Amino acid sequence: MVQLWFTTPVLRVALFSLVLARAALAEEPVPSVATDDDTDPHDEHQSATPEPTKKADEVTVRGRTAPPSRGASDFQLKVGELARVPRANAARLLELAPGLFLANEGGEGHPEQIYLRGFDARLGQDLELTVGGVPVNQVGNLHGNGFADLHFVVPELVEALRVVEGPYDPRQGNFAVAGSANYELGLERRGLTTKVTKGSFGTERLLLSWGPEGYGRHTFAGGELVRSDGFGTNRSSQRGAINAQVEGVLPGTGTWRLLGTSYATHFSSAGLLRADDVGRGRVDFFGTYDPRQGGDATRHSVSFDVEERVSDTTYRLQVFAVGTTLRLLENFTGFLHDPQEALQNLHTQRGDLLDLAVATKSVGLRASSRMRFKLLDLPQEVELGAYARGDDSDGQQVRREARTNAPYRVEADLQAVSSNLALYMDTSLKVQKWLTFRGGARAEYYGYDVLDRCAVQSVRQPSRTNPPGDSNCLTQQDQGRWREAFQRSTTAGSVLLPRASLLFGPFDDFTFSASWGRGARSVDPIYVSDGLATPFAELDSGEIGASWQQSTEAHAIALRAIGFRTHVDRDLLFDEVAGRNTLAQGTTRIGFVGSARYTTDDVDLSTSGTWVRATFDDTGLLVPYAPDLVLRFDGSYHRDLFERFEGSPLHGNVALGSGYVGRRALPYGQRSEVIFTVDGAASLGWKGLEATLSVQNLFDARYRQSEYVFPSVFAPSDGVTLVPSRHFAAGAPRTVLFTLGYTLGGAS
Amino acid sequence: MKLVRAFPLVLALALGACVGTTGGEVVSFGAQLAGPEGVTEHRVAFTSGRGLAVTLTKASLRVGAVYMNRSKPIPVAQEKSCISTGTYVGEVLGGAEADLLSGAPVRFPRGGQGTSEAAVTGELWLNGGDLDALEDKTVVATVEGEVVLPAGAKPFRGSITFGSNRRSAAIDPARPGADAPCKQRVVSPVAVDVTLAQGGLLTVRVDPRAWFALVPFEDLREEGGVLVFDDADTNASSVGLADGVRAPQGVYRFEWSAN
């Protein structure tokens, strides 16, 4: 049944897309002067819908509908000049949103670990990530359900982000536990741009991008190739990413977009180190225990979407297809988790290196129609939407022997076909000019068909004539009775998620909001059992917020303050044995967020702070790992240094970014070290030429970007350490990069 | 000026961020290996479990490591692994060898590490090398003394290793790892009631008298008038002594004293 759904609609969607694309390609591309889908970043509490106008002597403005704001925690972030703040990759742009902190313990090609509002969202399990509406979270990835790798995004092509902290928008789907983030791609600079970067640790980067003149900024192509030896030991990496999009117009007032992305990486990883070993000088702060760690990843996606307004209703349809592969080699525990089992031949600890390989294929669609009408002489809106996604993931995790590097045990070998269908209704209703209700409900259906190809790993009474020995995907039951090694399980579940926001204002530039929503995290296919109800993790989240924003010709200021509370009935916690997060008890988080952004023609400043207290419901003890205090500052200052230099102005820019993460709670009453880093950049531009010097970790702070507490044995001859011990991943030291760029033709 | 006024607020926020705990704490403590209380003269006389009068003049033990776990072992899981499935809350590494009849405790040179959670199970690892290695020639225990048999008093001696010499000759082909070497070397579960704390002292007290509870002596071979325990499972007395050394009940006691 599930497979039928998986194949037939895909064909239908593909055919429909082709028909649409064929019709649309006959049209002219969108002229740059006639495209405007901007929503004022400082007007975030309005349903910013550019009104298409058609007058005899004026151009037609075609625009995309911005989703209506959900209150103070709905951050529509224009990257703008803050793109000049040095960042390792596009994922780091998420840190423009208050309270978002990223770390990476797995190497350059490993996704960033995300912390938000007291959630350790690991590699995306608790943050729904999309790029141009295309989902990034992978369903059924063995390394973690919701695994999300943003390295396929070329940073220069990110135009804006919408980050909704909390589950308050009915459009938010699976994984929107702590919130959701959507990257909007675009290229302001027209013409052909080449950038070459060279710097510390043998880092080299080539960026090519082009935006055809006469086309809107949503028609572009760009790609990067990056290689680096990496700091310390075993951190080399190579990657390439290409993003390309075409935007065209429909016969009416609508537009269509075709987006393609492609990405591949190969990287090494130093992994985690025991703090006591580093303290005793057994291993260097930037060293590694196991140089086999690292991985490979690829991602290819294509998306086509149309948006058209007919009368008072805006229709939108998007179809997408994504294919990914991932291989990760990680060793968290050294020589600890290879117990001598009765069935096995005698062996010593062979090593805990996990070798994970996952391939996923996803197809899906989004469709919505939003109708505007008047009631009580006030504008009202109702939106109906649908979302469908099918995923086929195939993953295998084995342990590899330290001495020979041969795989010696299959830990998991799963194929999962999952279906997620959702329907939602969203409204924006006004009873007074100053009072807006926004919200509705989302109904989700999740279906799973999981084939466990290694279902039997042990048997108490094996055959004496045909003993299983060291193989661990067994084909026998007790007394040696035959059975196949696989087991198939299917299950399904559905859930209704109401979400609502009340917006009061604006009163003298102040707007107040109160939001409440229910979210859910779908079950990891590895936990699916035949016929058992799908164990969702459900959460309730509520918040109150206030914002003040003022825009003049000279400047724009936006200030926000938010208090929130979130309760999760079944949380997830990192487990070093599985190398992923596993189920834990219910948790509650309360916290406060403050943020400010100040923008003028010369200056763009953004700062935010988030404090959160996350506790287990049963004991009242703190939830480990999630940071309770995150502060962030980003700023850029730019001006013309000379009116004319050889006939053209000389542009100067300085940018500064700084992050502070307080001492995170760790297991056993411990606290992590503080993280405080400062990044800076200065650039000079003249005509199409620009030279930039950027420094990440300006003061060369020696810090631990990730810290964990668990037992490990990396030096068995020195004693088997079974008591939990502090481990960490070293943060990058000072990294200096010089970039020379040239743009031929075009104009900003 | 406004910034100055805001500073205390920011400070309070920052301090507030560090309020609360995940429970427990990491602790370091001292650890020592000692013989029975009151035995100080390199001589102890007792009646064994078999009703024999035994006088011990030498008893030493080498312990490779000591562990404490907050859980009791699960029988099925324990069958699979020498390392318990529960969370270990204390460990003493580095090894120590003590003369159990001297009255002088011997310190474990590296001390102990742990967390401040209650331990209910103790483990002693009686190894000198890799716990899982087939061979380990480290002498774990040495005994000398005299036993009064019906035929008269006889001196005895013996030393014990846990290597391939203890491996059963009859191996079930379906379960070749059932009799893993590590299982010979781990003494578990020793019942304990200890909550570790920073700076405290763990004393692992060993009573070698209990090693002889199941030793009949009469089947030991004689060398120059001395009864000799074989370092292998060749007779009931040799097996009994080895089983006594690794008996989790009645031999070992974990004592905790706060600093």
Side-chain angles (χ1 to χ4, degrees):
Chain A
M1 186 69 187
V2 173
Q3 282 172 328
L4 270 178
W5 177 88
F6 191 72
T7 52
T8 314
V10 173
L11 291 172
R12 288 183 192 152
V13 166
L15 284 171
F16 180 57
S17 307
L18 283 173
V19 170
L20 276 177
R22 192 175 163 202
L25 281 168
E27 302 297 325
E28 290 177 17
V30 182
S32 58
V33 292
T35 303
D36 186 1
D37 62 354
D38 276 353
T39 41
D40 185 346
H42 309 296
D43 190 16
E44 293 152 343
H45 291 287
Q46 295 181 14
S47 175
T49 307
E51 289 291 319
T53 56
K54 217 168 196 178
K55 293 182 183 175
D57 55 349
E58 291 183 6
V59 294
T60 300
V61 176
R62 298 171 187 273
R64 288 291 177 103
T65 308
S69 170
R70 300 294 146 177
S73 285
D74 191 341
F75 297 92
Q76 312 224 20
L77 304 161
K78 284 277 178 191
V79 177
E81 286 296 312
L82 296 183
R84 295 181 178 276
V85 176
R87 297 176 212 278
N89 51 53
R92 296 277 167 175
L93 287 166
L94 284 171
E95 291 181 329
L96 287 172
L100 252 155
F101 161 62
L102 303 180
N104 188 341
E105 89 272 356
E108 278 297 304
H110 189 276
E112 263 66 16
Q113 185 169 345
I114 302 167
Y115 300 91
L116 173 62
R117 282 193 167 191
F119 283 94
D120 170 4
R122 283 297 292 169
L123 309 176
Q125 74 189 15
D126 286 338
L127 186 68
E128 182 191 24
L129 286 160
T130 49
V131 173
V134 181
V136 182
N137 305 81
Q138 297 173 21
V139 175
N141 188 310
L142 265 184
H143 193 55
N145 196 31
F147 177 98
D149 186 352
L150 284 163
H151 291 144
F152 71 91
V153 180
V154 178
E156 281 82 352
L157 301 178
V158 178
E159 180 184 36
L161 291 92
R162 181 192 182 214
V163 179
V164 181
E165 299 189 358
Y168 306 129
D169 188 339
R171 292 172 189 76
Q172 291 173 292
N174 196 7
F175 307 114
V177 173
S180 60
N182 179 54
Y183 281 66
E184 210 52 64
L185 302 184
L187 181 65
E188 189 78 26
R189 182 155 223 167
R190 302 284 87 190
L192 280 64
T193 299
T194 304
K195 280 186 186 178
V196 178
T197 301
K198 208 163 169 52
S200 305
F201 317 118
T203 302
E204 294 173 341
R205 178 176 189 250
L206 171 66
L207 171 96
L208 301 179
S209 67
W210 55 96
E213 284 188 72
Y215 286 71
R217 62 180 181 276
H218 296 117
T219 295
F220 61 83
E224 63 172 1
L225 291 177
V226 187
R227 66 160 300 280
S228 174
D229 298 332
F231 61 93
T233 308
N234 210 52
R235 289 184 177 85
S236 64
S237 64
Q238 299 177 62
R239 74 168 186 267
I242 294 170
N243 303 164
Q245 182 171 276
V246 182
E247 184 179 67
V249 299
L250 292 170
T253 57
T255 58
W256 59 266
R257 287 179 190 169
L258 179 64
L259 169 67
T261 69
S262 203
Y263 162 72
T265 187
H266 174 78
F267 63 100
S268 302
S269 167
L272 299 177
L273 301 177
R274 286 177 66 101
D276 54 3
D277 281 353
V278 174
R280 290 182 195 133
R282 286 182 183 156
V283 59
D284 185 71
F285 187 84
F286 298 114
T288 185
Y289 289 120
D290 192 340
R292 295 173 299 165
Q293 295 177 99
D296 299 85
T298 64
R299 184 185 192 278
H300 308 282
S301 76
V302 62
S303 155
F304 180 76
D305 72 288
V306 294
E307 184 171 309
E308 174 72 298
R309 182 166 176 174
V310 179
S311 185
D312 290 324
T313 305
T314 302
Y315 297 94
R316 186 158 191 270
L317 174 69
Q318 178 178 35
V319 292
F320 56 81
V322 185
T324 70
T325 63
L326 170 73
R327 184 171 182 226
L328 273 181
L329 294 121
E330 294 183 304
N331 191 346
F332 294 104
T333 50
F335 296 87
L336 182 58
H337 294 293
D338 180 25
Q340 173 69 61
E341 297 194 20
L343 304 187
Q344 298 171 336
N345 293 306
L346 290 181
H347 63 79
T348 56
Q349 290 279 339
R350 289 169 286 188
D352 294 345
L353 181 74
L354 292 169
D355 184 351
L356 169 88
V358 183
T360 69
K361 294 185 279 292
S362 310
V363 293
L365 65 87
R366 293 174 195 275
S368 65
S369 62
R370 189 168 191 87
M371 178 182 280
R372 293 163 189 81
F373 58 95
K374 286 217 164 184
L375 190 67
L376 305 173
D377 209 26
L378 292 167
Q380 319 287 349
E381 296 178 0
V382 174
E383 177 175 328
L384 301 180
Y387 176 76
R389 175 176 174 178
D391 290 90
D392 186 344
S393 65
D394 199 312
Q396 186 183 61
Q397 180 163 297
V398 301
R399 298 252 181 202
R400 292 174 80 108
E401 195 172 15
R403 194 167 51 85
T404 63
N405 208 27
Y408 67 84
R409 187 169 75 226
V410 178
E411 298 222 314
D413 191 353
L414 284 183
Q415 187 202 10
V417 175
S418 31
S419 308
N420 175 201
L421 285 83
L423 298 173
Y424 69 84
M425 183 173 78
D426 183 36
T427 61
S428 179
L429 306 173
K430 281 181 176 288
V431 288
Q432 295 285 337
K433 263 191 164 179
W434 50 268
L435 179 60
T436 306
F437 169 85
R438 286 196 180 131
R442 182 181 182 95
E444 297 263 12
Y445 167 89
Y446 295 99
Y448 299 92
D449 181 343
V450 179
L451 177 66
D452 184 347
R453 289 183 289 242
C454 189
V456 185
Q457 303 209 359
S458 187
V459 57
R460 293 204 67 189
Q461 294 173 297
S463 164
R464 293 176 66 87
T465 54
N466 180 28
D470 293 329
S471 62
N472 67 325
C473 297
L474 306 184
T475 53
Q476 59 179 269
Q477 310 171 62
D478 274 354
Q479 314 296 344
R481 281 177 296 134
W482 169 265
R483 64 151 292 161
E484 296 293 348
F486 65 85
Q487 182 86 41
R488 184 181 289 278
S489 305
T490 57
T491 189
S494 51
V495 63
L496 183 68
L497 307 168
R499 291 156 186 184
S501 300
L502 273 177
L503 282 69
F504 307 88
F507 308 109
D508 293 333
D509 299 328
F510 278 98
T511 302
F512 302 93
S513 64
S515 298
W516 175 83
R518 179 166 283 177
R521 181 198 299 127
S522 67
V523 66
D524 189 331
I526 204 166
Y527 295 122
V528 166
S529 299
D530 214 7
L532 291 182
T534 308
F536 287 107
E538 288 191 47
L539 76 147
D540 288 289
S541 184
E543 66 166 44
I544 52 171
S547 63
W548 179 82
Q549 44 200 3
Q550 189 180 72
S551 292
T552 67
E553 280 190 10
H555 69 260
I557 307 173
L559 305 174
R560 298 185 193 209
I562 304 153
F564 64 88
R565 180 186 185 277
T566 303
H567 176 256
V568 186
D569 67 352
R570 198 188 321 234
D571 216 331
L572 292 171
L573 273 182
F574 176 70
D575 179 68
E576 73 286 352
V577 181
R580 60 211 297 278
N581 277 23
T582 53
L583 287 171
Q585 307 93 328
T587 54
T588 300
R589 292 159 177 81
I590 56 167
F592 305 96
V593 178
S595 74
R597 189 155 179 181
Y598 174 73
T599 312
T600 70
D601 286 343
D602 298 334
V603 172
D604 195 344
L605 303 176
S606 170
T607 188
S608 67
T610 297
W611 174 87
V612 62
R613 181 181 171 84
T615 54
F616 287 107
D617 294 340
D618 52 352
T619 61
L621 298 172
L622 293 182
V623 176
Y625 300 123
D628 32 22
L629 181 65
V630 178
L631 305 174
R632 179 75 204 176
F633 170 81
D634 293 273
S636 173
Y637 174 71
H638 52 100
R639 60 170 298 174
D640 291 346
L641 299 178
F642 302 101
E643 271 305 302
R644 292 283 163 196
F645 181 72
E646 296 290 321
S648 291
L650 188 67
H651 306 288
N653 180 285
V654 289
L656 198 70
S658 180
Y660 174 92
V661 180
R663 301 179 66 209
R664 283 174 279 166
L666 299 175
Y668 307 104
Q670 296 187 72
R671 288 274 177 177
S672 74
E673 294 185 356
V674 160
I675 298 176
F676 177 61
T677 55
V678 179
D679 310 312
S683 61
L684 280 175
W686 179 67
K687 293 187 175 174
L689 196 64
E690 187 172 69
T692 304
L693 182 70
S694 70
V695 186
Q696 293 171 38
N697 193 0
L698 194 60
F699 301 116
D700 202 21
R702 180 171 275 216
Y703 68 99
R704 303 169 175 185
Q705 59 172 323
S706 294
E707 292 190 65
Y708 298 94
V709 179
F710 57 80
S712 68
V713 182
F714 283 101
S717 59
D718 194 46
V720 177
T721 44
L722 300 179
V723 166
S725 178
R726 185 86 65 102
H727 296 70
F728 72 88
R734 180 164 45 223
T735 304
V736 182
L737 299 173
F738 178 72
T739 301
L740 196 59
Y742 186 70
T743 300
L744 188 65
S748 291
Chain B
M1 197 60 196
K2 281 180 183 172
L3 278 177
V4 173
R5 268 187 240 140
F7 183 73
L9 181 66
V10 173
L11 188 66
L13 198 66
L15 290 174
C18 293
V19 173
T21 176
T22 53
E25 60 177 311
V26 174
V27 299
S28 300
F29 56 92
Q32 59 186 16
L33 186 62
E37 282 174 311
V39 177
T40 58
E41 301 296 325
H42 291 97
R43 184 181 181 84
V44 59
F46 60 97
T47 302
S48 76
R50 292 284 182 119
L52 300 170
V54 179
T55 302
L56 260 180
T57 54
K58 182 175 181 183
S60 67
L61 180 73
R62 189 193 186 282
V63 174
V66 179
Y67 298 95
M68 282 163 284
N69 200 298
R70 72 178 182 189
S71 310
K72 289 181 179 169
I74 303 165
V76 174
Q78 197 65 11
E79 185 191 343
K80 292 175 69 174
S81 173
C82 291
I83 295 174
S84 294
T85 49
T87 301
Y88 284 87
V89 298
E91 66 188 12
V92 180
L93 306 178
E97 184 169 359
D99 177 350
L100 303 176
L101 305 181
S102 70
V106 174
R107 282 269 184 171
F108 286 87
R110 286 163 56 178
Q113 308 289 326
T115 57
S116 59
E117 291 180 281
V120 298
T121 302
E123 285 179 21
L124 283 91
W125 286 18
L126 305 179
N127 63 325
D130 187 337
L131 185 74
D132 294 308
L134 188 60
E135 200 55 84
D136 187 344
K137 294 195 180 298
T138 307
V139 175
V140 170
T142 308
V143 292
E144 285 181 20
E146 188 180 80
V147 61
V148 179
L149 295 171
K154 284 279 186 184
F156 66 84
R157 61 180 160 83
S159 54
I160 290 175
T161 64
F162 291 112
S164 57
N165 51 330
R166 304 285 168 190
R167 186 136 170 83
S168 170
I171 294 171
D172 180 353
R175 302 161 61 85
D179 183 30
C182 65
K183 293 189 175 172
Q184 304 285 343
R185 300 169 185 145
V186 175
V187 181
S188 175
V190 179
V192 302
D193 181 12
V194 168
T195 300
L196 299 174
Q198 180 65 31
L201 177 66
L202 176 73
T203 301
V204 178
R205 207 169 278 286
V206 187
D207 189 346
R209 292 172 291 197
W211 293 351
F212 296 89
L214 299 173
V215 177
F217 282 97
E218 58 206 13
D219 56 352
L220 290 175
R221 64 187 168 84
E222 206 170 318
E223 267 183 27
V226 179
L227 298 175
V228 178
F229 287 93
D230 289 336
D231 188 18
D233 295 345
T234 51
N235 52 54
S237 295
S238 298
V239 171
L241 181 62
D243 285 349
V245 169
R246 59 193 171 198
Q249 280 93 39
V251 180
Y252 302 99
R253 201 167 75 238
F254 285 50
E255 297 174 353
W256 177 254
S257 53
N259 191 14

